[in-house]
Amino acid sequence: NFHKADFSSLEAQTALKDYVKDNIDTNVSISTLKNDALLVLRMYTQSKTNSKASLEESLDSPLSLLRLINLGSISKNYISKPETRPYLPLGVLGYAVLNVMNERNLKSIPIEDLMYANEGMVAPGAAFRITENDFVTKLEQLVNYIPGTIVIRETAGIHQLYILEEKLQPIDYLKRHYSITSKGKVA
């Protein structure tokens, strides 16, 4: 997992190379890894408007709208730090949270496990690079996003998210998000 807040494209390439070396039992060419790292950075970074850039270079990926990685003040420098994410749609966050719970076959999960990646597990809070306060606020809003489906409770001093509706699926959050946005409302 790569969690540096300020990094160069070379550092991202090295991290990807190290990850592949440690986790994948196959040879991958260094040039492929370099290109893949640059592609990921390009997918998550919004382009700066430049009249000399080709049309292909100025088209942004939909993932860039999440603003998880930004260009730094130095040309090949990138910034990806936890911050408030007012533009992170609740439906997208709900999908990610429920997907994590489904993958682990859980009906409840400590909020801390959703915020911080540990033991190699994915955590939406870490993936979306969101501050802890903003993450908790968004989870509280998520409780009312599809009423009667999830709830936050404190059990033995630990705040946990519980699934109340057995048939709830991650895709239900995306369906809700797109039904709201197709009506012109912001989710």
Side-chain angles (χ1 to χ4, degrees):
N1 296 328
F2 188 71
H3 295 288
K4 282 189 85 169
D6 189 344
F7 58 94
S8 69
S9 61
L10 182 58
E11 288 173 305
Q13 293 168 33
T14 302
L16 180 61
K17 183 178 79 173
D18 292 345
Y19 176 84
V20 168
K21 179 181 160 189
D22 294 342
N23 296 288
I24 299 178
D25 292 332
T26 186
N27 277 339
V28 179
S29 92
I30 298 299
S31 64
T32 298
L33 292 176
K34 177 182 175 182
N35 290 338
D36 289 350
L38 292 174
L39 177 65
V40 168
L41 291 172
R42 177 71 185 102
M43 284 173 37
Y44 281 93
T45 307
Q46 290 184 329
S47 62
K48 293 188 177 184
T49 55
N50 180 350
S51 60
K52 294 181 181 180
S54 70
L55 179 60
E56 183 179 285
E57 289 177 359
S58 64
L59 292 177
D60 286 337
S61 159
L63 296 172
S64 70
L65 297 175
L66 293 172
R67 299 180 191 146
L68 299 179
I69 300 175
N70 297 304
L71 286 171
S73 57
I74 303 171
S75 179
K76 294 289 181 181
N77 192 41
Y78 295 89
I79 299 183
S80 179
K81 61 183 180 178
E83 57 187 56
T84 60
R85 304 275 179 202
Y87 39 81
L88 176 62
L90 287 177
V92 172
L93 179 62
Y95 175 86
V97 165
L98 206 61
N99 194 48
V100 165
M101 292 178 75
N102 281 355
E103 284 183 9
R104 298 182 194 176
N105 200 25
L106 300 173
K107 295 298 175 196
S108 68
I109 189 168
I111 290 176
E112 185 174 333
D113 289 358
L114 292 170
M115 180 63 207
Y116 301 105
N118 56 24
E119 299 177 22
M121 302 302 282
V122 174
F128 288 121
R129 309 292 286 154
I130 192 168
T131 64
E132 186 173 343
N133 286 341
D134 197 33
F135 185 68
V136 170
T137 298
K138 287 194 178 299
L139 286 179
E140 290 169 347
Q141 294 168 351
L142 199 58
V143 167
N144 297 316
Y145 193 69
I146 303 177
T149 55
I150 62 172
V151 68
I152 297 173
R153 293 185 185 140
E154 185 178 341
T155 306
I158 299 172
H159 288 87
Q160 297 193 67
L161 184 77
Y162 290 85
I163 297 175
L164 300 175
E165 174 57 51
E166 296 270 333
K167 295 178 184 177
L168 184 65
Q169 294 298 314
I171 196 72
D172 294 333
Y173 285 97
L174 291 182
K175 286 178 182 176
R176 172 92 172 122
H177 169 71
Y178 286 108
S179 73
I180 290 171
T181 55
S182 70
K183 294 176 185 171
K185 297 178 183 174
V186 176

